[in-house]
Amino acid sequence: KAISWYMELINSFRDGTHIPGITFLLAEALYENGQYAEAVIRYEEVAYNLSASNHGAEAGYAALLSYQQHEKKLSGYEKSVWRRNGIMSALRFSERYPKDVRVPALLTTATEELFSLKQYDKAEYAARLILKAGDKIEKKLRQRASIIIAHSNFERELFDKAEAGYVEVLGFLSTDAKERNDIVEHLAASIYKQGEQLRAIDKVDEAIAHFLRVAKLAPGSSIRITADYEAALGYMTLRDWKNASRLFSDFQKTHPDHPLLPDISKQLANIYLELDLPLQAAAELEKVMLSNKDVSIRQEAAWQAAEMYEKANDFNGAARLYESYVQLFPSPLEQAIEVRLKLSGIHNKNNNVKI
């Protein structure tokens, strides 16, 4: 009855000064009658569309309560859509009524929910509203907003902006803050990802610079080792053998048990071959022979190492590798025979007829 009466009044006096108040009462009646979706429409009409009303802020907030109540009746896709609409209504409320005491809590909740829904552009927008409010919102919530802005940029692959955000966050986080390690990891990843993006468009020099920055800004991060490795590979792409060998050699010294060491020895061997340093190449190939799990790779490395010792006129080293080759890789027979012939030649050069 009340709903019908309010509707009749609104239809009869569309431009009357009492319309906002009557519309608010209609919304209240709809809410009490469990017609929450219809109540939302009327509450938002009062809050945002009708001329200035004493009920504006109350109507806007009541609309949010109506969103929550109606969401309980829904499931699946409809529930998700209604939830997002409710969050956007909360942002609208915060912008229209910024001085309302409920705004800090509404903005904080909206920001977190938008981020969890992967609405990263909207999450950043909401977080910036929190920062814009300044001291009206407590420091802890403003700091959380800054973190969400950085994360949102990261998720949208805006890695340069994400990096700047993480640096800012680390500036205000205490050294024992529980979030600090995660922020450092994200900072390192944002720098590394910038390197990947540049490498993908063949800007290898700039990519290397980013990979190397990981060690400077996030030395303890888990991706730092990978970044160092990628920087060395970048130098190889540029045929900058000196810098590539320096980084790979440093890697061997600082990470003596790392799974990448066999591959690094292969890379170093290639570098030394390019630099015509057969002894150094042989030493790295020996490491590959001893450490690689792939038998065919080990076999090839042993053969190449022996050849490099021969090239360097280190016949004792060559003989030692060929003897190891025969013991470790007796097949195929043709190669085993060839190795024995090589050994015979080396021993003859040394005036040693023992085979």
Side-chain angles (χ1 to χ4, degrees), residues 216-233:
K216 295 178 181 177
L217 294 180
S221 60
S222 60
I223 207 170
R224 182 260 174 92
I225 294 175
T226 304
D228 288 344
Y229 180 75
E230 294 296 343
L233 290 180

Side-chain angles (χ1 to χ4, degrees), residues 18 62 73 94 166 214 216 257 301 324:
H18 298 298
K73 298 181 178 182
S94 301
Y166 292 131
V214 174
K216 295 178 181 177
D257 300 315
S324 295

Side-chain angles (χ1 to χ4, degrees), residues 5-72:
W5 187 59
Y6 291 137
M7 286 292 298
E8 187 177 337
L9 285 174
I10 291 170
N11 292 330
S12 300
F13 307 99
R14 289 184 179 276
D15 299 321
T17 56
H18 298 298
I19 291 300
I22 296 171
T23 305
F24 181 76
L25 292 174
L26 170 59
E28 294 276 77
L30 289 166
Y31 185 93
E32 291 299 324
N33 201 44
Q35 296 173 250
Y36 303 117
E38 294 86 348
V40 164
I41 295 171
R42 296 299 180 171
Y43 279 133
E44 290 190 337
E45 192 176 354
V46 175
Y48 309 114
N49 299 334
L50 296 177
S51 57
S53 167
N54 293 332
H55 300 290
E58 287 307 312
Y61 189 76
L64 302 181
L65 300 179
S66 301
Y67 272 110
Q68 292 174 7
Q69 291 300 323
H70 187 65
E71 184 183 330
K72 295 175 183 178

Side-chain angles (χ1 to χ4, degrees), residues 209-251:
H210 282 293
F211 291 140
L212 292 176
R213 285 198 308 117
V214 174
K216 295 178 181 177
L217 294 180
S221 60
S222 60
I223 207 170
R224 182 260 174 92
I225 294 175
T226 304
D228 288 344
Y229 180 75
E230 294 296 343
L233 290 180
Y235 280 128
M236 288 191 71
T237 300
L238 298 176
R239 301 182 69 81
D240 184 344
W241 309 122
K242 181 179 179 181
N243 276 317
S245 63
R246 174 178 57 81
L247 286 182
F248 280 136
S249 296
D250 288 345
F251 194 106

Side-chain angles (χ1 to χ4, degrees), residues 331-347:
S331 62
L333 183 60
E334 288 181 3
Q335 280 188 319
I337 293 172
E338 185 177 353
V339 168
R340 290 181 181 277
L341 290 173
K342 285 179 175 288
L343 274 169
S344 177
I346 291 171
H347 288 318

Side-chain angles (χ1 to χ4, degrees), residues 159-168 187 190-191 194 213 217:
F159 298 118
D160 55 340
K161 292 183 177 180
E163 178 191 347
Y166 292 131
V167 169
E168 180 186 347
L187 170 62
S190 66
I191 300 170
Q194 290 176 71
R213 285 198 308 117
L217 294 180

Side-chain angles (χ1 to χ4, degrees), residues 64-326:
L64 302 181
L65 300 179
S66 301
Y67 272 110
Q68 292 174 7
Q69 291 300 323
H70 187 65
E71 184 183 330
K72 295 175 183 178
K73 298 181 178 182
L74 305 176
S75 61
Y77 177 75
E78 284 186 319
K79 186 182 184 77
S80 298
V81 171
W82 194 258
R83 182 186 178 196
R84 284 196 291 270
N85 290 342
I87 295 169
M88 297 313 296
S89 185
L91 294 183
R92 193 179 184 187
F93 179 90
S94 301
E95 290 182 285
R96 178 62 68 89
Y97 306 103
K99 295 181 180 180
D100 192 285
V101 295
R102 293 164 290 199
V103 164
L106 288 175
L107 273 180
T108 302
T109 301
T111 302
E112 295 287 356
E113 289 193 350
L114 286 167
F115 187 78
S116 70
L117 290 171
K118 300 184 179 180
Q119 300 285 310
Y120 300 121
D121 55 339
K122 294 181 176 66
E124 181 189 3
Y125 177 77
R128 291 198 182 280
L129 288 178
I130 292 175
L131 298 182
K132 186 179 178 181
D135 293 338
K136 295 176 184 176
I137 296 181
E138 64 178 288
K139 183 179 179 181
K140 186 177 180 180
L141 297 181
R142 297 200 306 273
Q143 290 179 346
R144 177 59 185 165
S146 294
I147 292 173
I148 286 181
I149 290 171
H151 282 337
S152 296
N153 283 322
F154 185 91
E155 295 296 337
R156 289 178 292 168
E157 299 186 1
L158 302 173
F159 298 118
D160 55 340
K161 292 183 177 180
E163 178 191 347
Y166 292 131
V167 169
E168 180 186 347
V169 169
L170 288 172
F172 61 67
L173 282 182
S174 62
T175 54
D176 59 347
K178 62 179 182 180
E179 310 101 317
R180 192 172 185 86
N181 185 62
D182 179 65
I183 298 300
V184 169
E185 290 292 330
H186 275 84
L187 170 62
S190 66
I191 300 170
Y192 180 85
K193 291 289 186 181
Q194 290 176 71
E196 283 190 322
Q197 288 176 330
L198 288 164
R199 183 178 58 193
I201 56 175
D202 295 325
K203 293 187 176 182
V204 180
D205 271 323
E206 294 177 52
I208 291 170
H210 282 293
F211 291 140
L212 292 176
R213 285 198 308 117
V214 174
K216 295 178 181 177
L217 294 180
S221 60
S222 60
I223 207 170
R224 182 260 174 92
I225 294 175
T226 304
D228 288 344
Y229 180 75
E230 294 296 343
L233 290 180
Y235 280 128
M236 288 191 71
T237 300
L238 298 176
R239 301 182 69 81
D240 184 344
W241 309 122
K242 181 179 179 181
N243 276 317
S245 63
R246 174 178 57 81
L247 286 182
F248 280 136
S249 296
D250 288 345
F251 194 106
Q252 287 178 323
K253 293 172 185 174
T254 54
H255 309 291
D257 300 315
H258 198 276
L260 280 172
L261 286 182
D263 185 69
I264 286 173
S265 289
K266 284 174 61 179
Q267 301 292 355
L268 276 170
N270 291 330
I271 291 171
Y272 292 138
L273 288 173
E274 291 287 346
L275 294 173
D276 196 24
L277 298 170
L279 269 180
Q280 289 89 330
E284 293 302 328
L285 287 165
E286 270 201 79
K287 293 177 185 176
V288 175
M289 181 194 76
L290 295 171
S291 61
N292 202 289
K293 294 180 179 179
D294 189 313
V295 175
S296 62
I297 292 175
R298 291 173 57 210
Q299 188 169 2
E300 183 182 1
W303 184 280
Q304 287 180 322
E307 288 184 325
M308 288 302 101
Y309 279 123
E310 273 195 276
K311 184 177 180 181
N313 294 321
D314 183 348
F315 297 112
N316 289 331
R320 177 172 55 79
L321 260 292
Y322 282 133
E323 287 169 357
S324 295
Y325 188 97
V326 171

